[in-house]
Amino acid sequence: MYAFLLKGTLTDEQGTAATRYWRLNIAQNSVLNGHPVATHQILRNAIYSTNIRTVLTSGYNTPEEAEIMMR
């Protein structure tokens, strides 16, 4: 499994924005609805672009907290 540390901004209902950190786990072999999903090798020093539409947690306050959760 690969893991990334993501930095983003989370805005609360009052409009206050705060920098937050999340870990993103990427499985090497995945199954979706009972069917194998093709995954790709993650390459070092490569650029990957993605759009995150929603998050299920408020993340972590510091990159160190998120990193600890990656272990």
Side-chain angles (χ1 to χ4, degrees):
M1 179 180 302
Y2 299 102
F4 291 94
L5 181 61
L6 301 176
K7 178 181 177 181
T9 302
L10 184 67
T11 305
D12 63 19
E13 294 175 358
Q14 290 76 32
T16 304
T19 299
R20 303 295 290 178
Y21 300 87
W22 293 267
R23 77 170 188 274
L24 173 64
N25 296 326
I26 299 176
Q28 291 175 318
N29 297 309
S30 298
V31 175
L32 180 63
N33 297 326
H35 301 285
V37 175
T39 57
H40 302 282
Q41 183 177 9
I42 304 298
L43 303 175
R44 180 181 289 242
N45 297 322
I47 296 172
Y48 298 91
S49 178
T50 186
N51 293 317
I52 299 173
R53 295 181 185 169
T54 187
V55 295
L56 301 176
T57 69
S58 60
Y60 300 95
N61 291 321
T62 66
E64 291 79 17
E65 288 177 6
E67 182 181 10
I68 289 170
M69 298 308 295
M70 290 174 70
R71 296 180 188 163

